[in-house]
Amino acid sequence: MPKNFTSTATNKFHGGIHPPENKLISSSRAISKFDSDKYFRIQINQSSFQNIEQAVEIIVIKGQKVIQGEALTTFQPLDRLNVPVHSPCDGVVSDIELFDCAHNSSFPEMTIVIKAEINVDQNRSVTKIENQWKAKSQSSLINKIRKAGIVGLGGATFPTHIKQSSPLKTDISTPSTLIINAMECEPYITCDDRLLRGYANQIIQGALIVSKIVGCERIVFAIEDNKPEALFAVQESINLLAENKIDLSIIVAPTKYPSGGEKQLIQIVTGHELAKQQLPKDLNILVQNVATLFAVYQAIVLNSNLIGRLVTITGNLVDAPGNYWIPFGTSFSHIISQFNVPEKDLKFIIIGGPLMGQKISNFDISTSKKVNCLIFNKRVTNVEIKECIRCGECEAVCPIKLLPQQLYWFSKSEQWKPMEQLDLKACIECGACDYVCPSHIPLVDYFRFAKSEIKHLSSKEKTSELAKQRFDNRESRLTRIKLERKARQKKNALDRKQASENKSVDPDGKKTAILEALNRVKNKQNNTNKINTGITGEE
Amino acid sequence: MEIELFVAIPPWLVEVTQAIAVITIFSGLCGALLGYAAVYFKVEGDPIVEQINAILPQTQCGQCGHPGCKPYAQAIANGEAINRCPPGGEAGIKSLANLLELDVIPLNEECGEESLPRVAFIIEEECIGCTKCIQACPVDAIVGTAKQMHTVIVSECTGCDLCVPPCPVDCIEMPFVETNLINWRQQKPIEQSIVLN
Amino acid sequence: MKNSPLINSEISTETRSTNQLMILVCAGLIPGAITQFYFFGWGILINLILCSSFAISAEALVLKIRSRSILATLKDNSALLTGLLLGLAIPPLLPWWMSFIGVYFAIIFAKHLYGGLGYNPFNPAMIGYVLLLISFPLAMTNWLPTQELLILKPNLIQSIELTFLGVTNELNNIALIRTMADGFTMATPLDHIRTSLSQGFMLSEILEPSEQNSSFSINSLSWIWVNVAYLVGGIYLLFLKIIRWHIPVSIIASMIIVSTILSIIDDQIYLSASDHLFYGASMIGVFFIATDPVSASTTQKGRLIFGALIGFTLIMIRTFGSYPDAFAFAVILLNIASPTIDHYFRPKVYGTKTTVKQIPEKQTPVKQIPIKQIQENKSDDDFKGLNNE
Ligand code: SF4
Ligand code: SF4
Ligand code: SF4
Ligand code: SF4
């Protein structure tokens, strides 16, 4: 292991902001114990493909006993996207129902309610498989990761097995790289920081597992300079590593939001921008969050499924802000009572960070894989929304170098074409523009609105194009049938005439019989042709 | 001789002739240039009917009084009013007006009202398999054969309503298309500055 | 309500709001205003008070007519800023009704007819100024000489009387004051230089301190001080990041370049860069007028072009046009052009860079992904757009 494997980032991305970090509120307390609730409400689809219809199959029934870590849903092997969810406790399935799941649309989603009971056999032996993973095949490791229900735990909940299922190529001159994302650039959130301080060894183990899966040449650990303790812990654990084939280095980047965004992180580490159609893997890069790597470690080495995660509980209404292991499915109201949050001051909870997160005012909703942070803040006085003064601040901070201000105008007047020309699609909804806007315009909301309208229009166009084709096909089929029928009638009439004429010339009917036979054969051929064309015409 | 003849022509006539000649040559040149440009820069566009048809919603419902969207597109190209398509609604009229450089006019109420999208649903227990709806459907969105239960291919149904009247047992319903997690649309943010006193 | 939680978390109060921005710009005017007051007397103060109260009343009136919330909108201080800028731009002791017309025109026609703050394509204060300049050229070029040169200095009461009535008991009218100034008739230094040049004087004769033009050098010195004061205010704005550096820097740079080229051609006819920068309305224009975000270009590259063109136009009009100072014209002309500038100087969106930077360690360019490969990856298209994690 080379001595100075830590270096400072030399590349940077355009723009970015420095919001007040507010991280000390929760990072100063070590990970502490959290008293679980009796009831857990597990949302059956917790990956980012919530809005794509997928066959998630529930494999438990009401009243069934389940043990901790038991899978509640399964996936079709053919469908690549889904990951299962697991029971967070020993208990009984008490309900399977639709419930609000913090989707922006507030449409309910299917959930499974589990009541915790301790009467199930407790003597399960955990089979640690420790270092056996080195001998396992890549596909079996990926399968294991998928079965364990692992999705990206940085907040985006993208199914991890898909990211890992394309091995990084080494033939292209860029070194294949696994980037460990420990940036955690959003204010308030400290769970990755705390996780690193406590479990750096395990995370590095997880990274080694992933690097084996995708077969990469080097691992780059990227962290912001506002987490010195975490950085130290990682350095220690890398030093502890025995002689290793893989090139493991640390890059320390200046604190700047949104350095944890995948595209920005790649830019910081490699200096490359992903072209429009490119995915990280096209540059031979895989980015994984530290919490995800920890989950991979748990799944592969400890053989345990993903049933909970470290969550930052913070905000000025919480009596003991810090990071806690909270099982998925714990309701917010339970957390509220655990942390003595005064209900009368609490109008809403923020899930995730203040910039990319979500505001929730229904406290019966439960945590899921995307909840990495819960902020309980007193409502500050409402800021007023003014007109855009075209100050250009938003453009200066946009990491994608978009023109948020012009996009805003077009979105407001619902002109979608120019918005597409301005590359609305590239917007990562990071909220940096929102943050700096002196007029406090909800820019990201406008962009989301425009994106959803554009999507709607294009789907409408598609269906109308389909309808047009089907209509045209039908029309042409109908006219063809009509023409054919006419032709047949004409021909039949002609045949009849001929037959009657022939009869007179061919008294014993031999000739007619031959002719008829010939005609039959011909007709048959014609008909089969027609049927063929009929089918192709319809398609 | 010649000079005499020249003198005989009054000077104003010379001036006028010169002017006319200059203008003629100049305009001739311009014309040639324009003509050349027209050929050289010719934009191969869709014929206007195709462009109109592309805007029409392709519901093929016939509410415009034509047997489908394409015939109506043809009729618009021949000068019919652009406000006869209820499924296209206001947005459709707007984009037609934009394309044809006409004024935006409100929807002709005789043709019907703009409504939310619908999709046909055949109550399968009641279906007697008469195939009448299949014949009525302009986009072949119903499958089934004689004496067999019929059903609607939801993704292909345009919600045109044409299959409802022919059904002898009234087993076809036209429910609204449900909003769900997939076709859900984001709300437009409220402009707070517009709040009145 | 905003969907994103930002607006309700504490951190949103950390950034400056539009209201604060505007009031801070107003504050940036203070050094310049004080210096102007010192050199040109009570008239400046009266102008400021008159114009800002006219502006606020005009804004309130229009908001009332448009039935918008008056208090909430007035709080954005943009009307106040317009009033102050116009008040500083017009000559002291201008009759009150002229200020009235200028301000009301600026607020009603140049701002609210276009939809109010954020929608106005032109800088309202400059529109008001240009209107006055075109309608009342004589009154508008009647800048008083600096106090030092006045034999009769109007005091506060007299100034008010002059502004509102045009005459006072003791001083008669404003024209009289001007002619009674010590042998000095012309208004601003730029004006004076221009007239003298047209009379066939050489620049060296005009600018050289001598017996004849001692009053000119006193007067021009006061203008230099005023410009320095605005420069100080402008640097304060830059320092607080209320305005960005692009526009001021590019205007100043292009003014220096253009005027230097001209003075190299003939330094007896064309003013040098330092004269251009410190006479007339240069500094207030550079830092306070051209940087008005609403009517300026918004992209960073666009702003550089915008500023450079303002500098160029300004020198051109000052040198070859028929107005001695032309900041208002230059700004308005470029306001017209700014949408076009914005259109052509967009930043390159992330991912459109054609050349990929090389990785330092290996010094080998990234292989372009062949199209075939992209097509193969089509099935993964659904996954892009995922940004976090
Ligand atoms: S939200 Fe979009 S437009 Fe705004 S700064 Fe982020 S990427 Fe740029
Ligand atoms: S930051 Fe806000 S006010 Fe400024 S240009 Fe952008 S949208 Fe407009
Ligand atoms: S009314 Fe119906 S048939 Fe006519 S154009 Fe509109 S959708 Fe097509
Ligand atoms: S199924 Fe009925 S409603 Fe749907 S397209 Fe066919 S005829 Fe129209």
Side-chain angles (χ1 to χ4, degrees):
Chain A
M1 192 63 34
K3 264 274 162 288
N4 49 351
F5 49 84
T6 310
S7 61
T8 335
T10 45
N11 301 303
K12 57 181 185 142
F13 57 93
H14 177 258
I17 52 174
H18 300 270
E21 290 173 22
N22 290 350
K23 287 193 189 258
L24 280 178
I25 306 175
S26 54
S27 68
S28 41
R29 186 186 305 264
I31 300 173
S32 2
K33 198 174 152 357
F34 175 79
D35 291 324
S36 299
D37 198 4
K38 274 219 149 52
Y39 287 91
F40 296 91
R41 183 181 291 280
I42 314 289
Q43 186 184 333
I44 63 164
N45 195 344
Q46 300 192 16
S47 74
S48 60
F49 288 94
Q50 264 172 336
N51 41 6
I52 291 182
E53 231 160 357
Q54 295 292 336
V56 190
E57 212 179 305
I58 301 176
I59 52 169
V60 290
I61 50 165
K62 206 166 150 178
Q64 182 179 334
K65 282 191 174 169
V66 288
I67 57 169
Q68 190 175 49
E70 184 177 338
L72 301 175
T73 62
T74 185
F75 50 85
Q76 314 284 325
L78 284 181
D79 143 26
R80 315 198 309 125
L81 299 177
N82 265 310
V83 290
V85 291
H86 305 88
S87 170
C89 62
D90 297 335
V92 176
V93 177
S94 73
D95 226 335
I96 298 176
E97 59 176 359
L98 284 173
F99 201 80
D100 190 351
C101 283
H103 189 259
N104 269 340
S105 63
S106 76
F107 275 116
E109 287 171 60
M110 194 51 87
T111 59
I112 299 172
V113 185
I114 290 169
K115 184 167 182 283
E117 278 172 8
I118 322 183
N119 53 7
V120 194
D121 174 25
Q122 280 286 293
N123 300 330
R124 286 189 313 276
S125 54
V126 183
T127 46
K128 274 201 182 186
I129 45 177
E130 288 294 344
N131 278 333
Q132 291 168 24
W133 60 267
K134 283 185 178 145
K136 291 208 171 170
S137 76
Q138 293 167 345
S139 61
S140 77
L141 287 176
I142 291 179
N143 232 342
K144 186 98 182 82
I145 284 172
R146 184 177 188 187
K147 283 221 176 92
I150 299 179
V151 295
L153 295 181
T157 61
F158 183 81
T160 301
H161 66 273
I162 293 178
K163 270 189 161 184
Q164 298 180 346
S165 59
S166 48
L168 300 182
K169 293 162 228 119
T170 37
D171 54 327
I172 299 183
S173 41
T174 342
S176 52
T177 310
L178 166 67
I179 300 177
I180 307 176
N181 184 354
M183 290 298 198
E184 202 168 49
C185 51
E186 273 221 45
Y188 286 103
I189 310 180
T190 58
C191 55
D192 288 355
D193 182 10
R194 267 294 165 188
L195 195 66
L196 280 171
R197 291 195 213 176
Y199 302 89
N201 289 332
Q202 286 87 333
I203 289 165
I204 296 296
Q205 280 290 313
L208 291 177
I209 295 171
V210 174
S211 78
K212 175 181 171 171
I213 293 175
V214 295
C216 62
E217 276 174 16
R218 59 168 189 167
I219 300 177
V220 177
F221 188 96
I223 190 167
E224 280 189 341
D225 59 7
N226 60 355
K227 292 180 265 292
E229 296 95 340
L231 175 64
F232 182 70
V234 175
Q235 282 170 333
E236 288 282 276
S237 77
I238 292 181
N239 279 333
L240 281 180
L241 271 188
E243 198 60 30
N244 209 306
K245 275 174 282 174
I246 216 148
D247 165 16
L248 219 164
S249 59
I250 302 179
I251 281 189
V252 183
T255 305
K256 186 160 100 175
Y257 179 86
S259 57
E262 196 170 61
K263 289 173 177 170
Q264 285 67 44
L265 188 59
I266 291 173
Q267 216 173 344
I268 290 172
V269 173
T270 68
H272 292 304
E273 289 185 5
L274 285 178
K276 265 178 207 161
Q277 295 291 326
Q278 278 182 328
L279 295 171
K281 69 160 190 250
D282 297 329
L283 290 179
N284 295 326
I285 291 169
L286 173 69
V287 181
Q288 296 271 269
N289 173 272
V290 288
T292 317
L293 291 175
F294 185 69
V296 167
Y297 168 83
Q298 281 182 314
I300 303 291
V301 178
L302 304 183
N303 201 12
S304 69
N305 294 329
L306 186 61
I307 54 166
R309 64 163 298 157
L310 196 62
V311 180
T312 304
I313 306 287
T314 184
N316 52 19
L317 292 176
V318 181
D319 65 350
N323 288 285
Y324 300 87
W325 290 106
I326 298 185
F328 300 134
T330 307
S331 77
F332 293 159
S333 48
H334 175 69
I335 297 173
I336 289 173
S337 65
Q338 283 289 303
F339 291 94
N340 300 322
V341 179
E343 295 253 8
K344 65 175 195 315
D345 290 338
L346 189 71
K347 295 285 181 307
F348 51 81
I349 308 173
I350 292 168
I351 299 182
L355 287 152
M356 287 186 90
Q358 204 183 348
K359 208 173 71 187
I360 294 293
S361 41
N362 178 358
F363 301 153
D364 291 333
I365 293 175
S366 307
T367 61
S368 66
K369 290 173 187 171
K370 74 173 176 187
V371 180
N372 54 356
C373 175
L374 290 171
I375 307 175
F376 300 85
N377 260 351
K378 217 175 186 158
R379 190 193 186 108
V380 291
T381 46
N382 237 337
V383 288
E384 282 170 74
I385 297 175
K386 298 261 179 211
E387 292 296 345
C388 164
I389 55 166
R390 294 162 37 93
C391 63
E393 287 300 310
C394 45
E395 185 221 332
V397 299
C398 176
I400 306 293
K401 293 198 238 169
L402 296 170
L403 296 174
Q405 167 261 130
Q406 298 201 3
L407 288 171
Y408 158 68
W409 288 98
F410 288 129
S411 170
K412 208 167 133 182
S413 51
E414 305 190 11
Q415 302 178 40
W416 312 128
K417 278 252 167 60
M419 291 192 80
E420 284 172 72
Q421 282 160 12
L422 286 172
D423 279 305
L424 170 70
K425 241 170 132 189
C427 168
I428 58 168
E429 298 177 18
C430 66
C433 50
D434 240 357
Y435 172 73
V436 292
C437 177
S439 291
H440 299 297
I441 298 167
L443 293 163
V444 177
D445 285 358
Y446 276 99
F447 303 157
R448 288 201 184 121
F449 163 64
K451 279 181 178 173
S452 110
E453 287 300 299
I454 290 173
K455 198 173 131 217
H456 172 73
L457 281 182
S458 77
S459 82
K460 225 165 119 181
E461 243 160 52
K462 251 186 224 152
T463 54
S464 91
E465 185 52 36
L466 183 73
K468 192 171 126 201
Q469 270 173 21
R470 293 185 75 85
F471 180 74
D472 288 349
N473 287 346
R474 182 174 185 264
E475 289 287 285
S476 58
R477 192 186 70 226
L478 288 183
T479 42
R480 203 182 53 236
I481 289 174
K482 218 160 117 192
L483 285 179
E484 277 168 13
R485 192 181 295 143
K486 256 193 193 152
R488 222 177 15 247
Q489 278 168 359
K490 223 174 167 181
K491 197 153 161 276
N492 282 350
L494 212 75
D495 283 355
R496 273 198 299 276
K497 217 170 138 195
Q498 254 183 13
S500 61
E501 275 169 13
N502 281 351
K503 244 175 201 161
S504 51
V505 226
D506 183 26
D508 57 9
K510 246 184 185 171
K511 227 175 180 177
T512 338
I514 295 167
L515 257 176
E516 267 173 8
L518 274 177
N519 266 346
R520 267 203 303 278
V521 172
K522 215 179 183 181
N523 268 350
K524 213 176 178 182
Q525 271 175 355
N526 269 351
N527 273 350
T528 45
N529 279 347
K530 265 169 210 160
I531 289 166
N532 282 341
T533 48
I535 289 168
T536 45
E538 236 168 90
E539 273 317 296
Chain B
M1 182 66 191
E2 275 178 16
I3 293 166
E4 267 170 48
L5 191 67
F6 192 64
V7 171
I9 302 168
W12 58 267
L13 196 56
V14 177
E15 264 171 44
V16 168
T17 330
Q18 272 177 352
I20 288 173
V22 166
I23 288 174
T24 317
I25 291 169
F26 186 68
S27 50
L29 275 179
C30 284
L33 199 67
L34 280 177
Y36 175 72
V39 176
Y40 190 80
F41 297 108
K42 190 168 165 94
V43 183
E44 286 295 342
D46 283 347
I48 193 74
V49 177
E50 281 304 315
Q51 288 179 37
I52 297 171
N53 199 23
I55 292 174
L56 292 175
Q58 307 299 331
T59 309
Q60 316 291 5
C61 63
Q63 288 184 78
C64 50
H66 295 274
C69 300
K70 192 140 187 213
Y72 181 43
Q74 187 68 55
I76 291 179
N78 293 338
E80 191 163 322
I82 56 171
N83 64 346
R84 299 187 59 87
C85 172
E90 229 179 282
I93 295 175
K94 255 187 208 153
S95 33
L96 280 175
N98 205 0
L99 173 70
L100 302 169
E101 291 170 4
L102 297 171
D103 289 336
V104 177
I105 40 177
L107 187 68
N108 190 340
E109 276 168 27
E110 285 167 24
C111 300
E113 282 168 7
E114 188 175 354
S115 85
L116 294 173
R118 291 166 182 265
V119 62
F121 174 71
I122 296 179
I123 306 171
E124 293 174 352
E125 301 83 62
E126 291 175 22
C127 172
I128 54 169
C130 68
T131 74
K132 287 212 162 82
C133 53
I134 295 193
Q135 290 159 33
C137 180
V139 291
D140 290 335
I142 304 181
V143 284
T145 42
K147 309 232 174 71
Q148 303 284 310
M149 177 194 72
H150 287 35
T151 195
V152 176
I153 311 170
V154 174
S155 62
E156 260 137 47
C157 169
T158 63
C160 70
D161 235 7
L162 290 181
C163 52
V164 176
C167 180
V169 291
D170 281 344
C171 72
I172 304 183
E173 287 180 345
M174 296 294 299
F176 290 112
V177 177
E178 247 178 70
T179 25
N180 53 23
L181 278 174
I182 293 143
N183 63 11
W184 162 79
R185 282 152 78 186
Q186 193 98 27
Q187 290 277 308
K188 187 171 187 176
I190 304 160
E191 280 174 50
Q192 292 213 320
S193 55
I194 303 275
V195 179
L196 300 186
N197 253 340
Chain C
M1 199 57 247
K2 208 165 179 172
N3 250 336
S4 73
L6 174 67
I7 202 162
N8 291 303
S9 52
E10 287 164 334
I11 63 165
S12 70
T13 48
E14 294 283 325
T15 49
R16 270 190 216 107
S17 67
T18 303
N19 306 357
Q20 287 165 327
L21 281 183
M22 293 287 174
I23 202 77
L24 285 172
V25 176
C26 293
L29 285 169
I30 290 174
I34 290 177
T35 323
Q36 268 195 31
F37 171 63
Y38 174 77
F39 285 113
F40 301 106
W42 291 105
I44 298 289
L45 198 65
I46 296 171
N47 272 349
L48 283 178
I49 293 172
L50 266 186
C51 287
S52 49
S53 50
F54 284 153
I56 289 171
S57 69
E59 178 105 339
L61 184 77
V62 187
L63 289 172
K64 181 93 191 155
I65 296 170
R66 296 178 66 196
S67 55
R68 301 292 170 98
S69 159
I70 295 180
L71 274 184
T73 314
L74 273 185
K75 262 196 290 178
D76 69 26
N77 298 315
S78 61
L80 177 68
L81 182 59
T82 302
L84 291 179
L85 282 177
L86 196 55
L88 290 169
I90 57 178
L93 304 185
L94 191 76
W96 67 273
W97 52 270
M98 288 190 192
S99 330
F100 179 85
I101 291 175
V103 172
Y104 267 68
F105 187 83
I107 297 283
I108 295 175
F109 286 86
K111 187 173 171 194
H112 278 286
L113 277 195
Y114 288 104
L117 178 65
Y119 295 85
N120 45 308
F122 308 111
N123 188 329
M126 287 305 100
I127 289 283
Y129 179 81
V130 165
L131 172 92
L132 291 178
L133 188 61
I134 293 171
S135 318
F136 314 106
L138 195 63
M140 284 297 285
T141 44
N142 253 345
W143 265 94
L144 280 187
T146 171
Q147 295 276 73
E148 224 178 295
L149 297 172
L150 288 182
I151 295 163
L152 297 166
K153 299 181 184 61
N155 61 18
L156 177 59
I157 312 281
Q158 289 164 337
S159 303
I160 293 174
E161 278 179 329
L162 277 171
T163 309
F164 283 92
L165 305 172
V167 287
T168 66
N169 288 337
E170 301 92 24
L171 287 174
N172 225 334
N173 63 25
I174 182 164
L176 202 60
I177 302 178
R178 266 167 35 82
T179 47
M180 286 172 82
D182 178 26
F184 187 71
T185 44
M186 268 336 237
T188 63
L190 284 174
D191 218 346
H192 176 77
I193 292 166
R194 168 176 206 82
T195 324
S196 318
L197 275 177
S198 65
Q199 287 163 357
F201 290 98
M202 294 275 107
L203 265 187
S204 52
E205 296 173 82
I206 305 168
L207 297 178
E208 192 139 314
S210 65
E211 278 295 298
Q212 285 95 350
N213 59 7
S214 66
S215 52
F216 169 77
S217 39
I218 293 173
N219 200 33
S220 55
L221 192 67
S222 68
W223 277 98
I224 290 173
W225 276 116
V226 169
N227 273 304
V228 167
Y230 282 123
L231 178 65
V232 169
I235 288 171
Y236 144 86
L237 290 189
L238 277 178
F239 189 70
L240 289 188
K241 295 219 174 84
I242 294 160
I243 57 175
R244 297 250 165 185
W245 58 269
H246 306 79
I247 293 179
V249 167
S250 61
I251 298 183
I252 291 176
S254 90
M255 278 173 77
I256 291 175
I257 292 170
V258 176
S259 54
T260 311
I261 291 174
L262 285 176
S263 64
I264 286 173
I265 294 173
D266 189 344
D267 63 353
Q268 288 306 309
I269 302 175
Y270 304 120
L271 275 178
S272 70
S274 59
D275 293 335
H276 270 301
L277 281 177
F278 287 99
Y279 289 153
S282 300
M283 286 302 162
I284 188 176
V286 166
F287 288 102
F288 295 89
I289 293 169
T291 54
D292 166 37
V294 178
S295 50
S297 193
T298 56
T299 61
Q300 301 191 354
K301 270 188 238 162
R303 285 183 171 175
L304 291 175
I305 306 288
F306 176 81
L309 288 177
I310 287 188
F312 177 78
T313 322
L314 179 66
I315 303 286
M316 287 298 134
I317 302 181
R318 275 187 184 177
T319 316
F320 304 109
S322 53
Y323 287 91
D325 199 356
F327 219 96
F329 289 106
V331 167
I332 287 174
L333 281 176
L334 267 296
N335 283 168
I336 298 174
S338 70
T340 320
I341 295 176
D342 276 351
H343 183 86
Y344 285 106
F345 293 92
R346 281 176 189 160
K348 274 219 175 78
V349 175
Y350 172 97
T352 46
K353 242 200 237 166
T354 43
T355 52
V356 182
K357 246 201 250 164
Q358 300 196 335
I359 295 185
E361 301 141 53
K362 294 213 165 177
Q363 299 299 333
T364 33
V366 170
K367 201 169 127 194
Q368 286 291 308
I369 312 292
I371 291 174
K372 207 172 121 229
Q373 220 161 333
I374 291 177
Q375 277 166 348
E376 275 169 13
N377 295 338
K378 261 258 160 73
S379 60
D380 293 330
D381 269 5
D382 300 344
F383 319 140
K384 71 187 180 234
L386 285 150
N387 323 304
N388 223 355
E389 220 278 342

